[in-house]
Structures are given as C-alpha cells and as structure tokens.
Amino acid sequence: MRRASLGLLSICLLLTACGDKADEDDGGDGDGGDAGWDLGLDSGGTDGPDADGDGSPDDEDCDDADPTVFPGADETCNDVDDDCDGEIDEDPVDGADWYDDADEDGFGDAASGRRACAQPAGAVADGSDCDDADDAVFPGAEEICNDVDDDCDGEVDDDPADGSVFFADGDGDGFGDATTSQTACGPSDGWVDDDSDCDDADASVSPGADEICNDIDDDCDDVIDEDAVDETTWYLDDDGDGFGDADHSTAACAAPDGYVDDASDCDDGQASVNPDAGEVCNGIDDDCDDAVDEDGGAGFSDSSGRWTDWADALTGTSSSPAGLAIDEPGTLWFCAGTHYVNLDVSADASIRSMSGEADATILDGAETGPVVQAEAASVEVGIEGLTLQHGLGDDDPTTDFETAGGIACSDETGSSQLTVRDSVVRENQGGLGGGGIWALGCDLILESVVVTENDSEGTGGGVSTYDGDVTMRDVEISDNFAVGSAGGAYFAVYDSSAYIDVELEDVIVVDNQSRVLGGIGWENSDVTWTVSEGGRSAVLANSDDDWYGGVLHNVRSTFTGDALDFGEAGTSDDNDPYDVTHDLSDTQLLLGDDVRVFCDHTDCYESELAELGGDDWSSTRSYVLLNAVEADQLDGSSPTAFSWTGSRSCSIHWYVFRERRAQQQLRRDVGAAVGRRPAVR
C-alpha cells in the first residue's frame, strides 16, 4: 500500500510539472486548455516522450535532460556530444578552423580545413598555402624566378627578389620611364631594362636620337638643340655689316650674337667691305668679287689716312678730260683703265696706280693740256706705275712759253722735286719747254722710266730741264722729236753762273731726232754717266740735220762717261753725224762701244785706262784718264812725282786726294800744266 502511494505521488508530480509546462505554452492563462494529463501516452506527433522538450524524443535524444543536446544541434566546445552523433566537440560552431600543414611551413592546405575546439596535430589556423607539399611556397614567401607562385598571391614570379627592374616603355622606342618600374624575371611587352627616356610619350625622344632644332631635348642629355643634325652654320660678323667670315664659324639652331648665316665677307674687320659694297679705287676688294679695284676708279688718301672716293670725279672723255686738282698733301690712286684727266698739283702729292703696272693704268690728257702739271713752290711730286700720254703743253707762268705735255713741274724758287718711277711718258706734245717732261726749278729723278714718242716745238723732245739737278737710273729715252734741238733730252740753266749735277746710270738714248741735236745735251752741268753691274748705258741711232748727232757737250760743263755704247760706225745704231761733240772746241768724236769719255770746258777725249805701277805703288791701284788723274783704293800715301805722256804731251805731278774737291783741284793743276782753263766749280 505504501509502495503504491509513492508511485501515485510520482505520477502526480510529473503531471503537475507537465501541467505547469502546458500552462506556459498556453500563454500562462492558467485554464489549461484542452491539455490533459500526459501519462506517457501518444500526445499527437512524437514517437516518445521528450523530457527536455528539445523536439527530439528521448529515444533519439542522447540527453533528454538537456534541451541543448539533440540530433542536429550545433556542436560546441563543451565536451558534450551536442548533436548526438556519437562525437564530442567535432566541427563545433564555436570552434576554430584548422588546416593540415603537411610541409610544416606554417600555412595549411585550404582543402584540408576542418573545425575543432583545439588545434589538431599537424594542423594550423592558416589555410592559405597554395602548395602544401613545398615548404618554400606559402603566403609571404620571397618570390623568386622559378615559374612558381612562391608567395601564393595568384601570380607567378611577380616582383621576384632575384628579378631585374624593368621600366615602362610607353612609346615603344626601346627606352623606359624611370618613374614607372617593376621587378620581373624578364622583360614583357611594354617594359624594358633602360630607364633613360626623358619623354616616354614621344617615340622620337630618347637617348641616341638625332637632336634637331625644335626646342626639345631629343637625345635626353639635358641640353636642348645642341649639335642638331639640322642646325645652321653661322659665321662671325665682327664688323656688323651683315656678312660673315668663313674662317670663323659655329653651328647652332639659332644665330648666336654677332653671327650671321652668310660667309661671303672678304674682310670682316671693315664694315665698308662686303659683297654689297661698291668697289672703289683703294687697293682693296671692296665688293668681295676677288677683283681688286675694278677698272676706272680713283681715290685720294690724305696725310692722315682719310680716304675719299674720286670715282665720281672721273667723268672725262677722250675729247673732254676731267680737270682734277690736288691741293692738299696725300696720294691719288688710280685703278686700272684709261682715265682722261688733266691734273693740277699744288701740294706735296703722290700719283700712283694701284696695280703698279704702267701699261694697265693710263692717264690721258686728251690733247687739251698737260697730263700732270705742278706749279707751286717747294712741293714734292711723285708719279709711279702710270702711263702718261696725249698731253698738250700749257703756258708756263714763269717763262711765258708752253711746257711739256706729259709732266710739267715749275717752281721759280727752285726748291721743288719731281720723281717719276716705273712709268711710261709717251706721245705727248710740248711747246718750247719740252715734249714729255718739263722741269723748271725742280730737281728731276727718273727711275725705271720710258720716255718715248714725244714731240717738242722747242728744246728736248723727251725731257727738258732748267735750274734743277737731274738723276736718271734705268731710263730709256727713245723715238722723241724736237723741232728746235735735243730730240732726246737737254739739261740747262737760266743763270749762267749756276751749275747743275746730272747723274745718269743705265740710261739709253736711242732713235731720237731734232733739227740741231738728235740725242742728248747739257750746259753748265757736271755730268756723270755710268753703267751698273749687268746694266747698259748707250747713245744710239740719234740723228739731226748734220749738226751734232748723239751727245752735245756745251758751255762750262764736265762730262765723265764710263763704259758707254755709241754703236758701231756705219751701222744702223750709229749716231748721225757724230757720237760726241764739244760745242766750243768743235771736237767731234766717233766712238764705238764700251768706251770712256771725258769732256771739260775746253775739249772732249776718249781714253783707255793706263795703270800706274812700280815698287812704290804695290798697294795702290790708279789710272789716268786723258789730261786728268783719278784714283781709287788709295792707301793715303803721297808718292813722289812721276811723268805720264797721254794723247797730249804734258808732264804732271801726282797727288793723292780723298775727296771730290781735292780731285777737282787735281784737275785744275792738270789744266794749268797744259795751259787750259779747268772746267770745275
């Protein structure tokens, strides 16, 4: 009875508990609803009792006392078989994922992942290993060039530690951009191992590219437009005339300061000289055409060097020459060509040709006046490298008669000088004062001059001088004619008490004609006529109307001629009628070639050299000429008297004198010995 009571009590308690639960399920209204007492009988859908109410009958529930434990429950880490699958804490929802790390590199194989409450042996929490069979392959591993994705980033050999740096070559010119690079095992499209491109957007810009003139650094050397292939050569224009010097150039895209692109300047030191300049007569190729002083120009350079172009003044023609005046010291230059001019000179002046060639530069007086006329006191006039022709003598204000047509120099003070060099005086016509050259009161110097085919109405067809010393070297006086006398030349004085010196060397007087004297003559003159080594002095083929012929020695003169040629008698080069005539003594000599002649006031002689010898004269070489004694190379001693018999018998004493006046004294002594008046001053 006691046992039965306990069982009944248990059932009641159970029912009470179930009833309470039912009340809860009913929302707690306490009316119990239709629920009755559950006595373990079928309650509509369950296979058996579910003590923990977890929806799983106790025959399935592995712990019907724990509503959190039933089949399908989430397995948690609690050492309980929450899901009643016979395993405790397997694949727990609150467990961790673990991955097998077969290669023990700390990273597991994602395919082997499982969840557990504790780390399984050989498993790791990271399942990102892309090759769990290779412990060198895992996330974060060093990528190397081996065709393997060492760092498991899905890319093979990307940014490898042992790779090379490559640079983006955006323009495909083979040179990369240093600012855009990658490390790789080898190049790929659009990448190169060169980072020197300075503009990776322009394929024409890269190291080694041709630099061109475009304001761009084409070859990436940090310099723009240097040594460009299309650069221009520029030439220094030092004088600023717009034309450059071909010898001083530089290459550049733009002209440097002071440079031009023209190289045709022939003198970059003178702005007046360039291809656009006008040519003037100044000894310079002004217009750079390789021709200096084209024909027809003239220019005057004063004593300060200031240059004036006279080309515009040369307007003369063959019928109307230009009248030009030189009234200040300087040089008048003529370029090649024929210039029709009459020049009036009243200051120290030089009249010259630029070429220095007389046959190329001609001054033509057009038969209207003297070609050159100097009428001033104390002037020095020089003429060089010219031909002076077709001049006509003009009235001389000093003498009131016409002067020479070629060159006339007149100075009543007797203090001027006329010098003519390397020139030709031809085909001029003079009045009473000479045909080619007239010098009155002017010392005359002729060097390398030809005086030819001139005519005079008076004296000196070629040359006539008064009151001036004369010096001639390498001069030819030929084919001249005088109506009066001296077809070739005549030297004289107005003052009968005056003397002039005449020095002739290598002078040839040939083929001149006159009514009275064909060749050359002088008065009141000391004349010396010599020959230089290799030179020649000659008086040949001069003729007149049976008066004197070659040379006339006249009035108070002395003449010493050494090694003169007078032509061979009876031939065409002989003088007609005589070679040398002494006007006072009427001595007329017919001479040959290479002779010595001496004339004084009284007579003229020809002589051979007579050498004096003897023991007392071992260091002295002397010779006697006619009735005078000359000596050279003397030692200064005064030997005793000796006698010598020449062409005229006389006995003289010998003295040694060193100076010219002493020699003149000797001549006086000789003259006294023979009873003649000495012809010395």
Coordinates of all heavy atoms in Angstrom, one line a residue, residues 34 70 173 208 229-230 248 322 369 412 415 632 678:
D34 N -7.2 22.5 -23.6 CA -7.6 21.1 -23.8 C -6.5 20.1 -23.4 O -6.7 18.9 -23.6 CB -7.9 20.9 -25.3 CG -9.1 21.6 -25.7 OD1 -10.0 21.9 -24.9 OD2 -9.2 22.0 -26.9
F70 N 20.6 17.4 -28.7 CA 19.7 16.7 -29.5 C 20.3 16.5 -30.9 O 21.2 17.3 -31.3 CB 18.3 17.4 -29.6 CG 18.4 18.8 -30.1 CD1 18.4 19.1 -31.4 CD2 18.4 19.8 -29.2 CE1 18.5 20.4 -31.8 CE2 18.5 21.1 -29.6 CZ 18.5 21.4 -30.9
D173 N 59.9 53.1 -77.9 CA 61.1 53.5 -78.5 C 62.3 52.7 -78.0 O 63.5 53.0 -78.4 CB 61.4 55.0 -78.4 CG 61.4 55.5 -77.0 OD1 61.4 54.6 -76.0 OD2 61.5 56.7 -76.8
G208 N 70.3 58.8 -77.8 CA 70.8 58.4 -79.1 C 70.0 58.9 -80.2 O 70.4 58.7 -81.4
V229 N 71.2 67.8 -86.0 CA 71.5 67.4 -87.3 C 71.1 68.4 -88.4 O 71.6 68.4 -89.5 CB 71.0 66.0 -87.6 CG1 71.6 65.0 -86.7 CG2 69.4 66.0 -87.4
D230 N 70.1 69.2 -88.0 CA 69.6 70.2 -89.0 C 70.0 71.6 -88.6 O 69.4 72.6 -89.1 CB 68.1 70.1 -89.1 CG 67.4 70.3 -87.8 OD1 68.0 70.3 -86.7 OD2 66.1 70.6 -87.8
H248 N 85.7 81.8 -89.4 CA 85.2 81.8 -88.0 C 83.8 81.5 -88.0 O 82.9 82.3 -88.2 CB 85.5 83.2 -87.4 CG 87.0 83.5 -87.3 ND1 87.7 84.1 -88.3 CD2 87.9 83.3 -86.3 CE1 88.9 84.3 -88.0 NE2 89.1 83.8 -86.8
A322 N 88.6 115.2 -117.6 CA 88.2 115.8 -116.3 C 89.4 116.6 -115.7 O 90.5 116.2 -115.8 CB 87.9 114.6 -115.3
G369 N 95.7 119.7 -122.5 CA 96.5 120.3 -121.5 C 97.5 119.2 -121.0 O 97.4 118.0 -121.4
E412 N 109.6 128.7 -109.5 CA 110.6 129.8 -109.6 C 111.5 129.9 -108.5 O 112.6 130.6 -108.6 CB 109.8 131.1 -109.9 CG 108.9 131.6 -108.8 CD 108.2 132.8 -109.1 OE1 108.3 133.3 -110.2 OE2 107.4 133.3 -108.2
S415 N 113.0 125.1 -105.6 CA 113.0 124.2 -104.4 C 112.0 123.0 -104.4 O 111.7 122.4 -103.4 CB 112.7 125.0 -103.1 OG 111.5 125.7 -103.2
D632 N 141.5 105.2 -107.1 CA 140.6 104.6 -106.2 C 141.4 103.5 -105.4 O 142.5 103.1 -105.8 CB 139.4 103.9 -106.8 CG 139.8 102.8 -107.7 OD1 140.9 102.8 -108.4 OD2 139.1 101.8 -107.8
P678 N 140.5 125.2 -116.3 CA 139.9 124.0 -115.7 C 138.3 124.2 -115.7 O 137.8 125.2 -115.4 CB 140.4 123.9 -114.3 CG 140.8 125.3 -114.0 CD 141.3 125.9 -115.3

